[in-house]
Amino acid sequence: MSSLTITNLTKTYVGANTPRHVVFDNFSLEIKRDTIVAVVGANGCGKTTLLNCVAGLIQYEHGNIEIDGRNSCDANTGFVFQNYRESLLPWLKNINNIACVLDQPTASKLEKCNYIKHWASERDIVLPWESYPYQCSGGQQQLLALAREFINQPKLLLMDEPFAALDYEKRLAWRQQIETLWARHPTTVILVSHDIEEAVYLADEVIVFGSQPARIFSRHTIDIPRPRAPAMLQGELFFQHHRVVLQSFLQATSII
Amino acid sequence: MKLRVLGILIIFLAWELLSLFVDRLFLPSPLSVINKLLELAHTSELYNDIWVTFERTAIGLSVGAAIGVVAGTLLGSFRSLYKTLQLPMDFVRSIPATALFPLFIVLFGLGDTVKIFVAAWATCLIVIINTLYGFQNISHTRRLIAKLKKFSFCKTVRLIILPSALPFIAAGIRVSLAFALIVELVAEMFLGSQNGLGHRIFAASSILEMEEVYVGILLIGLLGYVLNSAMLFAERKIIHWSGHGA
């Protein structure tokens, strides 16, 4: 059963002073429902462009992107940005940062707030709701940004290098947080990453991209049982998967 | 605080010293100015003049800022509208408001309307430009969020665009304050006014009452300072997120 279907996607960047740049040429991809798929590849291979096309943020010349058989533009899609601080609205209190995107048009303000607090407490998310984002720590801000995307139970969740700005031990903690949120309400996730360890850790499937134009170099199923924990990083199973993906990545990028 | 008092004292002393060597017609001594102020403080006309100037400037500033924000929002949202109006707008902006006074008199007469209008005019032209600058500085990520979450146009303006532009708008209003006061004073001097601080300064100078001229100048300075401080205070309260790296 597939959730995201991309068929014959063609996307060209035409700049005024730059040569035509073909990012996708007849690109097709299918992703199974309720799985976490990580996309890795060299810089500029089209990972972020893929997310932008799927989210409907940029136009493309040809092709079809469907989520659960419906055009991707109508779908309920979440997007986690790398720059979480900038993705929040500092003029709104934390609770209103979520309430303003909550997909319950008929609910009153109070109902929305109660729903958010209830939703969060079910998931052990503790945030100072009446504070403003800039009064919170970086971790709280990131949690807020994540909660905002998960609360509407999106059919598809796109993440663009969400933890690139964090240090290593924080990243380990966030991987667990994401897995917990995801396990509670499984959805299709596309995670763009430049960190192969992170990709293997989180994903059910890792797709290695080749570039110019973007193509699928290889796909790897990661069958490490969930829930996964940092201790798994030392296991033989993880090593095997990591090695295979890394090999593929090096072949695809040919930097050496 | 001590240093501030010291600063005022130094200026006061320098003024007093300078006035010893200069004709009273050019620079009366600060003591005589203060005496004049205390004398005038017994008359209700002085308070009325301060109030009238304040009222006209404040109303003009508010109306001008409101129009400026709306116009700036429209120009910032519709690129083609901005391109169409850019040349005439820049042309009109280059004309000093005072040069347009004869036209304003024809349009609005010599009453209170014209005096409020000149302050609104000066404010509006600055606030439009600052609102436009604010628009250009909206974070790309936040624009994308409005698109991703399918915000309506109104919701996008209310939740993303206006708050992003607000620090720029506030700066524009604070800059306009000084300009609004300038044109207000000139309007009170030359547009057939019967009251206001501008009228008082002009009338006093024509009968060589230099102490009273300086009283008017000091009060205008004070009025500008108070308005500016009030605006700074409101700015910190309303734009609470500014300066937090957000």
Side-chain angles (χ1 to χ4, degrees):
Chain A
M1 195 163 48
S2 83
S3 161
L4 175 71
T5 316
I6 301 173
T7 36
N8 303 329
L9 177 69
T10 303
K11 165 76 193 164
T12 318
Y13 281 117
V14 187
N17 304 313
T18 47
R20 271 165 56 90
H21 177 52
V22 181
V23 187
F24 291 109
D25 186 15
N26 252 334
F27 177 89
S28 296
L29 172 70
E30 276 192 21
I31 285 174
K32 278 205 242 39
R33 181 197 295 264
D34 298 345
T35 54
I36 301 182
V37 175
V39 177
V40 296
N43 245 342
C45 72
K47 293 173 297 192
T48 300
T49 307
L50 178 74
L51 289 195
N52 288 339
C53 286
V54 172
L57 292 177
I58 56 174
Q59 303 282 317
Y60 43 91
E61 293 100 76
H62 287 293
N64 212 357
I65 301 179
E66 287 186 342
I67 298 162
D68 278 346
R70 287 166 57 199
N71 193 303
S72 66
C73 293
D74 311 327
N76 168 12
T77 307
F79 203 118
V80 181
F81 291 90
Q82 180 183 337
N83 191 343
Y84 56 88
R85 186 190 284 263
E86 209 169 288
S87 80
L88 297 170
L89 307 179
W91 38 86
L92 296 183
K93 285 179 178 168
N94 288 340
I95 186 99
N96 291 333
N97 258 288
I98 297 187
C100 76
V101 303
L102 194 60
D103 204 4
Q104 297 179 357
T106 54
S108 74
K109 213 172 158 91
L110 187 70
E111 282 168 347
K112 281 185 182 178
C113 289
N114 287 337
Y115 176 81
I116 293 166
K117 284 174 184 165
H118 179 70
W119 182 91
S121 67
E122 272 183 350
R123 287 157 179 79
D124 297 324
I125 293 176
V126 182
L127 281 168
W129 294 115
E130 296 305 315
S131 301
Y132 290 93
Y134 58 82
Q135 295 167 326
C136 302
S137 67
Q140 287 172 325
Q141 290 179 27
Q142 183 135 30
L143 188 55
L144 185 65
L146 267 185
R148 186 179 68 179
E149 301 310 318
F150 269 99
I151 197 163
N152 282 329
Q153 310 197 331
K155 286 254 182 339
L156 178 67
L157 186 59
L158 308 170
M159 299 191 186
D160 191 3
E161 302 189 7
F163 310 127
L166 301 179
D167 40 28
Y168 188 64
E169 74 267 20
K170 292 246 174 61
R171 258 187 278 172
L172 288 181
W174 280 108
R175 287 175 196 169
Q176 283 181 287
Q177 180 81 56
I178 291 232
E179 205 191 2
T180 316
L181 283 170
W182 176 81
R184 183 106 198 177
H185 172 80
T187 178
T188 314
V189 177
I190 303 182
L191 169 78
V192 160
S193 179
H194 57 204
D195 181 347
I196 292 173
E197 183 195 296
E198 184 170 286
V200 175
Y201 185 111
L202 273 172
D204 296 300
E205 187 181 25
V206 177
I207 300 178
V208 178
F209 262 37
S211 53
Q212 282 171 348
R215 65 212 145 81
I216 297 168
F217 187 81
S218 59
R219 303 177 72 148
H220 309 271
T221 304
I222 312 292
D223 51 6
I224 305 173
R226 291 185 189 277
R228 299 170 185 173
M232 173 201 81
L233 289 169
Q234 306 164 355
E236 193 54 41
L237 193 57
F238 182 83
F239 270 132
Q240 279 170 19
H241 283 295
H242 188 273
R243 188 165 54 235
V244 174
V245 175
L246 182 61
Q247 231 164 32
S248 209
F249 177 83
L250 289 177
Q251 283 166 11
T253 48
S254 63
I255 32 170
I256 13 174
Chain B
M1 195 60 211
K2 272 181 189 164
L3 286 177
R4 283 191 199 187
V5 175
L6 187 68
I8 294 171
L9 272 178
I10 288 173
I11 289 177
F12 193 84
L13 272 175
W15 181 2
E16 180 71 52
L17 271 175
L18 196 63
S19 70
L20 293 177
F21 303 101
V22 184
D23 190 330
R24 160 196 165 265
L25 213 51
F26 299 121
L27 187 69
S29 90
L31 281 176
S32 63
V33 172
I34 288 173
N35 273 335
K36 188 75 192 174
L37 175 66
L38 293 176
E39 183 189 312
L40 289 171
H42 291 296
T43 64
S44 66
E45 283 90 7
L46 185 72
Y47 299 107
N48 186 47
D49 280 347
I50 298 172
W51 171 251
V52 163
T53 302
F54 165 77
E55 198 183 21
R56 287 169 183 154
T57 313
I59 296 177
L61 201 67
S62 318
V63 172
I67 296 173
V69 169
V70 172
T73 306
L74 289 173
L75 288 170
S77 310
F78 303 105
R79 210 70 206 149
S80 49
L81 185 66
Y82 177 57
K83 289 239 168 79
T84 317
L85 293 178
Q86 191 178 13
L87 187 100
M89 248 176 45
D90 284 343
F91 180 77
V92 171
R93 266 188 335 112
S94 324
I95 305 171
T98 43
L100 293 170
F101 276 7
L103 176 67
F104 294 162
I105 293 174
V106 175
L107 287 174
F108 301 104
L110 287 166
D112 259 1
T113 321
V114 75
K115 277 154 212 120
I116 291 170
F117 181 80
V118 291
W121 174 266
T123 305
C124 181
L125 291 177
I126 297 173
V127 172
I128 285 182
I129 298 299
N130 267 54
T131 308
L132 271 170
Y133 267 114
F135 269 67
Q136 284 160 6
N137 278 281
I138 300 173
S139 106
H140 183 60
T141 309
R142 289 187 187 131
R143 274 185 187 280
L144 290 185
I145 282 169
K147 209 170 167 185
L148 276 168
K149 304 298 175 200
K150 303 185 173 66
F151 284 1
S152 65
F153 176 74
C154 287
K155 198 172 177 185
T156 310
V157 169
R158 189 165 53 84
L159 283 183
I160 311 273
I161 292 177
L162 273 188
S164 300
L166 212 50
F168 292 86
I169 295 171
I173 294 178
R174 222 142 57 75
V175 173
S176 336
L177 173 63
F179 282 91
L181 264 181
I182 292 172
V183 292
E184 193 55 61
L185 275 212
V186 178
E188 284 177 356
M189 286 175 174
F190 299 108
L191 296 190
S193 207
Q194 297 307 313
N195 49 16
L197 287 171
H199 170 256
R200 177 174 288 268
I201 293 172
F202 195 65
S205 81
S206 59
I207 52 168
L208 301 182
E209 267 288 352
M210 295 322 281
E211 281 84 6
E212 198 176 335
V213 169
Y214 276 86
V215 167
I217 292 172
L218 285 182
L219 286 175
I220 271 293
L222 189 68
L223 183 60
Y225 180 78
V226 168
L227 279 172
N228 188 56
S229 306
M231 223 167 281
L232 255 184
F233 179 76
E235 208 177 301
R236 292 213 184 99
K237 283 277 166 223
I238 296 169
I239 313 176
H240 53 84
W241 63 89
S242 153
H244 286 95

